[in-house]
Amino acid sequence: MSFRSRGSGQQHSTSRVSMSSYISSSDVSGKHSELSALSKESLSDAESPTLAAYPSARKEKGTSKLKLFRKSAVKLADDLGRKSGYRGPAGRRESASGLTQQQMAMYEPGTFDLQGMTEKGIDQLRADLAAVDADCADQIRKTVHDNYHHFIQACQGIAKLEGEMQAVRALLGNSSNIIAALREMATPSGAARNTAGEASSSGAAAEWQESPEGQNWAEVLEDLDIAIAERRCEDAVQLLQKADASCTHPQAIDWSDPEHQTRYDRIEGQQEKVDQRRVQLSSILEARMKDPNTKSGERRSATSLMAAAVSKAWAHQQLLEAHTAQLTQLQELLSRPQNAGGGDADGVEYANALAQASFRAVAVAATDVAIVFQKDAPELSSLFLVWALQETQRCARLLLQNALSPFAVPAGLDPTVHCCTLALLYCTALETSHSLMLSPRLMSDLWPTCEQVLQRRLRRLTEDLRREVAAEVDGLASLGSQAQGPPSGWDALTQTFPSANRLVSTVQSTVSILRPLAGPKPAQVLRRGVADLFQTYTNALSASFQKHQQPDGSFPYNLDMMVESVMELTSTMAEHHLPAATAPLLQSCGSVCDTAAMNNCLDALGASLGMQSA
């Protein structure tokens, strides 16, 4: 097989490849020689003196030679096309793919062999393979270009077909519901006929059925069955109310009178039949309320009808269950990218979407309840508040499961508090618009995780402070007589003890992060944490100085002159800088600095360094 590399214009042969579908050089040379011989023969005949003497014969023979020449040329072209796989413009792409497959056949396992090949041959194989790769890329590009518009048209047709199928499915669903309802009607009607047959055995029952009252009752039941089967819920509710009015017991019943006993039993049987229809209508309205495709206005209308047909408490419960089902479906959709390991690196995006969907659903439910029931019964408001608290707790549980727990440890305090802040923001907006109180329930569920992350941050800072203070004091002790005079002032002191500046800045940043969650619990944890950090810092200074204490109880000269500077540093921190760092929480939580605890730490540090308290 011979390959032609791009841009070189040279042919390179490879003895290891043989392709039977390509035209052999002997076939081409044979056809070319045959064509040359025919052309020479025609030219020699044209110059013959015999033909020159007879012009008509010369013309006839020249014409026959020309026809033979044309036939041979056509035959040669057909032979070349058949052997090369050429099938005209329509078959170029198929021919190209066939050639590519044949070119790649030599690289299949079992047929590809590099033994005995030179480096030049291997380079040539590499170039040939690159040329085949370029050809494949060009074929793919052409195929995509040729079929792109067809793909777009097919997608549009599929989308249109899906819409039509949904419309057909809805029509079929309505038809099947009507058929099912009509089938269910057969059982009550049969039972009514059986009851009528049994009642006909007694003269009083038969007489009542033939009376105008009995005929009106049968007509009401029939109209009610038809309205339920045709899903005319408004008419069904009116017929139910009419049937209920017909089933009213008299105020006083004389149980000793058989007529009164018969009337009571008849009314009880009528009420049982009405209740059967009521259950059917209630199931229809419940399905309409819980349908995810139902709009808010339709859901409110179904709730009003259920309240009129059954009771307000039952309608209120079914309305809340419908909102719960819709919210649950939305929350499951939000959790799928999270479970699949999406691009949400710290859980903030999921927390925002979850809190927005959850509290928006509660707000929509509150609006529906207010429109449908208005201010009918206080107990309904209490039931709604209980439901809202349950949904808030479920939102917090999902937030802990999918956002805080997986990302709290690697992300740190800032993203964790950010997630909780987003949830608290939507909860506060709901409280403002609908006069609810849900944030305490939300914070009681989310704060323990935030507290764990905060404690981890404080423990890490405590360990770092111990190491830094020990390194700073050891560095001062190693200076010996080269130490300069004791520094004074906060800037100079923090240059000598950078750990003090880090302590203050970390407390300030922590307060800034926790400020959106300001409340009694964060303030209590911060107050204890700041006091523990200050105690850790003073204990680290005391331990580092005592490590270099001499047998007579004194310190080296360069440390002894730093005792007053250390006391100035710690007292300035406790009196000014730590209260200033926690000032953003002063208005909402009060003072976060435990002044008494920090004063005790200062006294203990002064005693360990040999300072007398004033």
Side-chain angles (χ1 to χ4, degrees), residues 149-443:
H149 296 288
H150 300 289
F151 175 75
I152 296 299
Q153 294 176 359
C155 290
Q156 293 176 353
I158 291 172
K160 184 178 179 181
L161 181 60
E162 287 181 351
E164 295 176 353
M165 289 301 297
Q166 290 180 358
V168 172
R169 188 181 297 110
L171 293 176
L172 292 177
N174 294 334
S175 301
S176 62
N177 291 334
I178 294 175
I179 293 173
L182 291 174
R183 288 179 178 176
E184 292 176 358
M185 285 171 53
T187 302
S189 299
R193 287 193 297 268
N194 293 334
T195 305
E198 295 174 358
S200 63
S201 60
S202 61
E207 183 180 356
W208 181 82
Q209 290 179 355
E210 296 297 333
S211 64
E213 183 182 358
Q215 292 179 359
N216 291 335
W217 171 254
E219 184 179 354
V220 168
L221 283 183
E222 184 179 358
D223 293 341
L224 179 58
D225 290 336
I226 294 174
I228 293 175
E230 293 179 354
R231 299 299 192 268
R232 293 186 286 109
C233 299
E234 292 83 358
D235 297 339
V237 170
Q238 293 178 1
L239 292 171
L240 274 177
Q241 293 175 350
K242 184 178 180 180
D244 289 334
S246 302
C247 298
T248 304
H249 290 284
Q251 296 181 355
I253 299 177
D254 187 3
W255 296 104
S256 62
D257 188 355
E259 184 179 355
H260 284 192
Q261 181 69 32
T262 302
R263 178 177 176 80
Y264 179 83
D265 295 338
R266 184 174 63 249
I267 292 175
E268 287 294 325
Q270 293 174 355
Q271 187 65 51
E272 182 179 358
K273 296 174 183 178
V274 172
D275 290 340
Q276 292 176 359
R277 274 72 172 180
R278 196 189 315 276
V279 171
Q280 295 178 4
L281 180 59
S282 176
S283 62
I284 294 173
L285 293 173
E286 181 180 350
R288 183 179 299 180
M289 292 167 59
K290 294 184 179 180
D291 187 359
N293 298 323
T294 302
K295 298 181 180 180
S296 298
E298 297 176 352
R299 183 181 295 110
R300 295 168 187 169
S301 177
T303 306
S304 300
L305 293 175
M306 182 173 289
V310 186
S311 66
K312 293 181 180 180
W314 178 254
H316 183 272
Q317 179 181 352
Q318 295 303 314
L319 176 62
L320 297 182
E321 289 182 0
H323 282 286
T324 299
Q326 187 174 5
L327 178 58
T328 302
Q329 183 179 5
L330 181 58
Q331 289 172 345
E332 290 177 355
L333 292 176
L334 291 175
S335 64
R336 288 176 185 174
Q338 193 66 29
N339 294 334
D344 194 3
D346 51 9
V348 174
E349 295 180 3
Y350 172 78
N352 180 61
L354 176 66
Q356 183 179 7
S358 300
F359 292 107
R360 182 178 180 274
V362 176
V364 172
T367 303
D368 290 347
V369 170
I371 293 176
V372 174
F373 301 100
Q374 297 180 357
K375 298 180 180 179
D376 291 336
E379 60 271 13
L380 297 182
S381 301
S382 301
L383 292 175
F384 176 80
L385 181 58
V386 172
W387 175 82
L389 289 173
Q390 292 176 353
E391 293 301 325
T392 302
Q393 189 174 6
R394 188 154 64 96
C395 174
R397 184 172 63 253
L398 290 175
L399 193 61
L400 290 172
Q401 179 181 351
N402 296 328
L404 298 183
S405 296
F407 301 108
V409 174
L413 182 63
D414 194 6
T416 302
V417 174
H418 194 183
C419 293
C420 299
T421 302
L422 289 173
L424 187 61
L425 177 64
Y426 289 109
C427 182
T428 305
L430 175 64
E431 291 177 343
T432 304
S433 60
H434 291 81
S435 301
L436 298 173
M437 185 59 66
L438 305 176
S439 55
R441 173 76 269 179
L442 181 65
M443 284 302 301

Side-chain angles (χ1 to χ4, degrees), residues 475-485 556-559 561:
L476 291 175
S478 62
L479 293 177
S481 59
Q482 299 178 359
Q484 300 178 358
Y557 172 76
N558 49 343
L559 291 182
M561 67 178 183

Side-chain angles (χ1 to χ4, degrees), residues 497-566:
F497 297 95
S499 56
N501 199 8
R502 181 184 179 184
L503 172 59
V504 174
S505 61
T506 303
V507 171
Q508 185 176 4
S509 63
T510 303
V511 169
S512 178
I513 293 173
L514 292 176
R515 186 176 180 180
L517 304 180
K521 292 183 178 180
Q524 181 181 0
V525 175
L526 269 180
R527 185 179 294 107
R528 185 173 61 252
V530 171
D532 293 342
L533 285 175
F534 188 77
Q535 183 179 4
T536 300
Y537 190 75
T538 55
N539 291 340
L541 285 173
S542 177
S544 300
F545 268 81
Q546 290 179 0
K547 183 174 65 174
H548 298 281
Q549 192 174 12
Q550 296 178 356
D552 57 355
S554 61
F555 297 104
Y557 172 76
N558 49 343
L559 291 182
D560 186 64
M561 67 178 183
M562 296 296 296
V563 171
E564 294 184 358
S565 300
V566 168

